[in-house]
């Protein structure tokens, strides 16, 4: 009886998981392997090999990879600087970095649209400085800009978390045993932050791979990512079967990349932010 | 007498404007087990960190084997540290932890594996090579930390309250273990603790510190039997510390009674601190003794009874193996040899004595 009551408490979560996670996935799988008449087909999944779809998928992978690497390159030194700061200031500066996450996602991207556009703030500044104008908007570079800006906190936080858990005495011990500062980094700091880096990579790479809003707003329809293709199948072509089939392919890529990351996370302690 | 190995010369250090060490001067000899003893905030850990190279002094120099190493970073110093919270590397196995220093100094593989075996044997943890840090108890982790430090064959091992996190029984076992290690290795130990029993058990020399000043340096016997001031007397073991007046040589007045003592040279009618160890107080039937009082409380401590006797307005602390009962009227006596007379603190560094007592 006691056990039954305890299990009962998980009821709302089970309803949530079934209703909003399992069921939609099943529906997508169903649409993905059927045609408009409802009979079984693999055409929707094989459709990924069509040149336009393949191009979109490869571009998505490329931009997601570039954004992730840029985020990593920015975040790691930042996390180190943060971690080295006086304790009093640390949480405040972390707060500053996380602050944009509390603003509406669309607003942030729209702001970038204004900054990067041909008559935008960036070009105004360039002009005032006597530099040539750049047309960044509606290029893959603009999409990468948006992604890096949007997902940076998701990279900084797990890295910073894993770094701040390394005690000063661990670093002292390494110094004591003969490490110079570079060796301390290579043999202590880096290995102990791998789990943070891996969760950061997943948390940036996966949303970047599946994003379509950023490429819509900053790519202006000229940068077609796999997310945009799927969106168009659903919204414009109302071909739910095709959209679902491509979604399944994308999901496989997402799951594969997460599995790859997890297999490299020897620590197994997951330094995710939440 | 072994030769001098380390000399901390006129060291001063402050953090955020508050002085932690003030003109500290300390010499450590080869093969010495030296303990820095004092309450928290006395500067003992800072002194150790200065030796290890983790802090640089604001003024003064650190000499090692005659050479000035004040500016040398920790990795270039020939000493190793055992940290309070073990500080083992969590991403490495026990063997990798122990091998760490040797790998950094590029020793050969066979040398390293021999050393790992030797070190694990030395700390009684043979066969632990493959274990992970997490799977070890606190005492085992601390022994690995010691093994990790000593494989590098340092001339000096610095230990920062290494037994602080262990329970009482384990702490006592580890004390004997450390003494044994010290004898087998034949190196200098500098040990930091706030535990006076630890200090008395293990040390060749104890340095009692308070408020950034050295209060007394001496053998455990010296420190216990001949404390130089009231702070040392109070910090090392229990004491009766009573305000007194030195009437003249070998005669002191406490609590309105004039009694003979053995100290001389304090002048006449000078205020002094009189220190009497509880085990040196003898109780007897009145009218024996120089003072009479009533037993206020009795606590059984195992080896002895701890008795409080109120006499002439002072609660005397008495350790005795004889059984008394509460309320008994007793006479108090102390043989002159066991009465320690100390000057009242006067100068600024002596003032540190008064605080915390």
């Amino acid at each position: 009886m006691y056990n039954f009551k305890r299990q009962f408490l998980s009821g709302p979560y089970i309803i949530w998981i079934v209703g909003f996670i399992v069921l939609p996935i099943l529906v997508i799988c169903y649409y993905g392997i059927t045609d408009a008449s409802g009979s079984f087909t693999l055409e929707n999944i094989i459709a990924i090999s069509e040149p336009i779809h393949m191009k979109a998928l490869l571009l998505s992978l490329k931009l997601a990879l570039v954004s992730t690497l840029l985020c990593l390159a920015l975040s790691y030194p930042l996390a180190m600087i943060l971690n080295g700061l006086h304790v009093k200031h640390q949480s405040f500066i972390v707060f500053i970095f996380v602050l944009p996450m509390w603003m509406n996602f669309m607003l942030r991207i729209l702001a970038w649209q204004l900054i990067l556009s041909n008559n935008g703030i960036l070009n105004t500044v360039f002009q005032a400085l006597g530099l040539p104008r750049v047309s960044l908007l509606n290029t893959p570079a603009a999409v990468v800009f948006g992604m890096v800006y949007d997902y940076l906190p998701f990279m900084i936080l797990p890295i910073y978390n894993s770094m701040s858990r390394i005690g000063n005495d661990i670093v002292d011990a390494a110094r004591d045993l003969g490490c110079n500062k570079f060796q301390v980094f290579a043999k202590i700091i880096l290995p102990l932050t791998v789990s943070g880096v891996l969760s950061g990579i997943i948390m940036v790479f996966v949303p970047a791979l599946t994003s379509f809003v950023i490429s819509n707003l900053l790519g202006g329809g000229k940068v077609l990512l796999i997310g945009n293709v799927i969106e168009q199948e659903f919204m414009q072509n109302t071909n739910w079967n095709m959209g679902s089939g491509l979604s399944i392919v994308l999901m496989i890529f997402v799951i594969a990349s997460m599995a790859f990351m997890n297999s490299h996370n020897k620590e197994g302690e997951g330094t995710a932010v939440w | 007498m072994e030769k001098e190995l380390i000399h901390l010369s006129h060291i001063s250090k402050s953090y955020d404007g508050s002085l932690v060490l003030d003109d500290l001067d300390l010499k450590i000899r080869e093969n010495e087990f030296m303990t820095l003893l004092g309450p928290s905030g006395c500067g003992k850990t800072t002194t150790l960190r200065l030796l290890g190279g983790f802090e640089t002094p604001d003024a003064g120099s650190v000499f090692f084997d005659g050479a000035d190493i004040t500016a040398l970073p920790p990795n270039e110093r020939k000493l190793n540290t055992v940290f309070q919270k073990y500080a083992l590397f969590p991403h490495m196995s026990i063997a990798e932890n122990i091998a760490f220093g040797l790998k950094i100094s590029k020793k050969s593989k066979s040398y390293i594996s021999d050393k790992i075996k030797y070190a694990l044997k030395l700390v009684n943890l043979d066969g632990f090579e493959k274990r992970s840090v997490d799977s070890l108890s606190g005492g085992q982790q601390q022994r690995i930390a010691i093994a990790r430090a000593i494989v590098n064959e340092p001339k000096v091992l610095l230990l920062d309250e290494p037994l602080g996190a262990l329970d009482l029984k384990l702490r006592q076992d580890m004390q004997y273990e450390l003494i044994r290690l010290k004898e087998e290795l034949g190196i200098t130990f500098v040990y930091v603790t706030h535990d006076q029993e630890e200090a008395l058990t293990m040390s060749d020399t104890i340095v009692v510190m308070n408020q950034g000043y050295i209060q007394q340096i001496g053998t455990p016997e010296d420190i216990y039997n001949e404390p130089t001031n009231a702070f040392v007397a109070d910090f090392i073991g229990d004491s009766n510390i009573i305000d007194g007046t030195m009437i003249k040589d070998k005669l002191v007045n406490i609590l309105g009674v004039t009694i003979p003592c053995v100290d001389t040279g304090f002048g006449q009618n000078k205020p002094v601190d009189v220190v009497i160890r509880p085990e040196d107080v003898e109780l007897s039937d009145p009218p024996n003794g120089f003072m009479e009082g009533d037993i206020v409380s009795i606590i059984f401590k195992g080896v002895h009874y701890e008795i409080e006797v109120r006499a002439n307005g002072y609660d005397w602390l008495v350790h005795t193996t004889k059984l008394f009962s509460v309320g008994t009227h007793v006479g108090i006596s102390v043989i002159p040899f066991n009465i320690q007379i100390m000057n009242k603190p006067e100068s600024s560094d002596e003032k540190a004595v008064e605080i915390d007592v």
Side-chain angles (χ1 to χ4, degrees):
Chain A
M1 191 62 198
Y2 174 76
N3 271 339
F4 172 75
K5 267 189 187 162
R6 287 277 290 261
Q7 283 165 1
F8 192 70
L9 287 174
S10 66
Y13 304 103
I14 289 173
I15 291 170
W16 178 272
I17 288 167
V18 170
F20 295 97
I21 299 173
V22 178
L23 218 57
I25 289 176
L26 288 178
V27 170
I28 289 202
C29 287
Y30 170 76
Y31 275 110
I33 55 170
T34 53
D35 59 21
S37 65
S39 55
F40 176 80
T41 174
L42 283 176
E43 257 174 48
N44 299 320
I45 290 168
I46 294 163
I48 192 67
S49 59
E50 284 168 30
I52 183 166
H53 293 159
M54 204 40 140
K55 201 180 142 204
L57 179 64
L58 289 178
L59 184 63
S60 293
L61 285 168
K62 192 173 126 194
L63 294 193
L65 197 67
V66 171
S67 306
T68 308
L69 290 178
L70 279 175
C71 277
L72 185 60
L74 286 171
S75 299
Y76 206 93
L78 255 172
M80 286 191 80
I81 293 166
L82 270 179
N83 196 42
L85 283 178
H86 201 274
V87 183
K88 263 185 204 165
H89 307 138
Q90 257 180 32
S91 57
F92 176 71
I93 299 195
V94 172
F95 168 78
I96 297 272
F97 276 103
V98 179
L99 195 63
M101 281 166 73
W102 299 351
M103 268 179 261
N104 186 285
F105 167 76
M106 296 283 271
L107 280 180
R108 279 180 285 156
I109 297 304
L110 283 168
W112 272 108
Q113 207 176 22
L114 288 175
I115 293 169
L116 297 178
S117 69
N118 285 339
N119 297 314
I121 295 164
L122 189 69
N123 276 327
T124 316
V125 172
F126 271 31
Q127 215 164 16
L129 293 172
L131 294 167
R133 294 166 68 93
V134 286
S135 47
L136 268 173
L137 198 64
N138 304 342
T139 63
V143 178
V144 169
F145 247 109
M147 285 179 175
V148 170
Y149 175 77
D150 235 31
Y151 302 135
L152 194 63
F154 296 95
M155 186 67 93
I156 293 178
L157 282 180
I159 296 177
Y160 168 73
N161 269 359
S162 62
M163 215 173 268
S164 64
R165 283 196 310 195
I166 303 173
N168 284 334
D169 48 351
I170 296 268
V171 175
D172 281 350
R175 296 279 285 151
D176 186 73
L177 292 166
C179 282
N180 58 36
K181 281 180 176 160
F182 175 75
Q183 286 169 319
V184 170
F185 176 76
K187 293 185 184 290
I188 305 295
I189 308 286
L190 200 57
L192 284 176
T193 49
V194 166
S195 63
V197 168
L198 289 178
S199 25
I201 288 176
I202 287 179
M203 291 174 76
V204 173
F205 184 77
V206 171
L209 181 64
T210 55
S211 157
F212 64 91
V213 175
I214 294 175
S215 47
N216 259 353
L217 292 176
L218 298 180
K222 285 179 189 151
V223 182
L224 200 65
L225 299 185
I226 189 71
N228 301 103
V229 174
I230 294 170
E231 187 218 358
Q232 281 170 13
E233 292 295 346
F234 275 104
M235 308 307 287
Q236 288 162 28
N237 304 349
T238 53
N239 187 347
W240 287 30
N241 303 95
M242 180 65 83
S244 300
L246 294 176
S247 294
I248 291 170
V249 175
L250 189 54
M251 250 189 287
I252 289 167
F253 271 89
V254 167
I255 290 166
S257 61
M258 288 178 78
F260 176 76
M261 287 302 167
N262 278 331
S263 70
H264 281 67
N265 189 355
K266 278 184 279 179
E267 294 285 302
E269 53 182 82
T271 324
V273 200
W274 24 79
Chain B
M1 181 77 82
E2 302 278 354
K3 71 165 183 147
E4 173 190 314
L5 186 62
I6 294 173
H7 183 192
L8 291 164
S9 170
H10 301 290
I11 301 277
S12 293
K13 175 82 187 169
S14 55
Y15 291 111
D16 299 332
S18 68
L19 209 57
V20 182
L21 294 175
D22 192 1
D23 199 27
L24 176 115
D25 208 85
L26 182 63
K27 288 173 182 166
I28 303 169
R29 281 173 287 121
E30 219 162 42
N31 290 344
E32 191 173 20
F33 196 129
M34 178 179 269
T35 301
L36 307 177
L37 175 68
S40 57
C42 73
K44 57 189 192 300
T45 298
T46 306
T47 308
L48 198 76
R49 290 179 65 81
L50 282 164
L51 280 173
F54 305 111
E55 308 281 353
T56 43
D58 300 338
S61 333
V62 183
F63 294 96
F64 185 92
D65 232 351
D68 188 340
I69 59 161
T70 317
L72 226 53
N75 49 321
E76 290 170 32
R77 296 191 179 198
K78 285 190 197 103
L79 23 81
N80 286 107
T81 310
V82 176
F83 294 87
Q84 185 173 11
K85 287 177 194 138
Y86 328 136
L88 296 179
F89 306 125
H91 57 302
M92 297 181 193
S93 72
I94 295 309
E96 286 170 321
N97 262 285
I98 296 174
F100 191 82
L102 299 172
K103 276 186 190 156
I104 294 289
S105 56
K106 304 219 159 46
K107 294 282 193 296
S108 76
K109 266 195 180 148
S110 60
Y111 178 85
I112 291 177
S113 71
D114 285 351
K115 270 285 179 186
I116 293 172
K117 274 219 179 72
Y118 161 77
L120 282 174
K121 207 175 178 66
L122 206 61
V123 296
N124 287 330
L125 290 173
D126 317 62
F128 272 61
E129 283 91 343
K130 296 256 164 61
R131 297 276 290 270
S132 74
V133 172
D134 289 340
S135 70
L136 266 56
S137 71
Q140 290 170 332
Q141 289 195 30
Q142 193 54 280
R143 285 192 230 178
I144 295 301
I146 293 168
R148 182 179 66 176
I150 60 179
V151 289
N152 303 292
E153 296 176 353
K155 284 202 158 175
V156 181
L157 191 63
L158 308 175
L159 300 108
D160 184 9
E161 305 209 25
L163 311 183
L166 308 179
D167 62 64
L168 182 66
K169 185 79 186 70
L170 201 56
R171 211 154 62 214
Q172 287 168 344
D173 291 347
M174 287 291 288
Q175 286 175 19
Y176 292 111
E177 199 110 322
L178 282 171
I179 297 170
R180 180 180 64 81
L181 266 176
K182 160 83 179 54
E183 276 159 14
E184 274 184 45
L185 294 167
I187 58 172
T188 309
F189 275 37
V190 181
Y191 192 97
V192 160
T193 184
H194 62 263
D195 185 322
Q196 45 111 350
E197 189 227 312
E198 245 172 60
L200 292 172
T201 311
M202 297 190 288
S203 319
D204 299 323
T205 308
I206 296 178
V207 179
V208 184
M209 296 179 72
N210 192 31
Q211 311 264 316
Y213 295 101
I214 292 175
Q215 302 295 332
Q216 186 172 2
I217 303 179
T219 65
E221 289 86 350
D222 286 345
I223 301 273
Y224 191 85
N225 294 329
E226 304 283 337
T228 53
N229 59 43
F231 172 79
V232 177
D234 190 63
F235 195 74
I236 308 283
D238 295 320
S239 289
N240 294 291
I241 301 172
I242 306 161
D243 289 332
T245 311
M246 204 67 187
I247 304 294
K248 57 176 189 174
D249 280 358
K250 300 191 179 186
L251 210 57
V252 67
N253 181 293
I254 51 166
L255 308 168
V257 181
T258 302
I259 50 172
C261 62
V262 294
D263 295 83
T264 57
F266 284 87
Q268 296 199 339
N269 294 317
K270 273 277 300 256
V272 287
D273 280 325
V274 178
V275 174
I276 300 167
R277 294 287 183 193
E279 63 270 24
D280 294 334
V281 180
E282 289 160 33
L283 300 181
S284 53
D285 293 328
N288 292 325
F290 55 71
M291 200 180 284
E292 287 173 25
D294 297 302
I295 294 180
V296 183
S297 75
I298 300 177
I299 299 166
F300 179 60
K301 288 281 194 178
V303 195
H304 57 77
Y305 294 97
E306 189 175 291
I307 297 178
E308 239 178 44
V309 182
R310 184 160 300 156
N312 292 13
Y314 183 81
D315 285 343
W316 290 75
L317 191 68
V318 183
H319 290 172
T320 176
T321 49
K322 280 190 259 173
L323 181 59
F324 290 87
S325 56
V326 177
T328 311
H329 196 62
V330 289
I332 293 173
S333 56
V334 183
I335 61 166
F337 180 75
N338 285 333
I339 297 171
Q340 306 291 332
I341 310 290
M342 286 157 198
N343 272 316
K344 290 262 184 204
E346 280 165 4
S347 69
S348 82
D349 62 326
E350 281 180 48
K351 234 179 224 154
V353 164
E354 288 227 307
I355 314 162
D356 267 347
V357 169

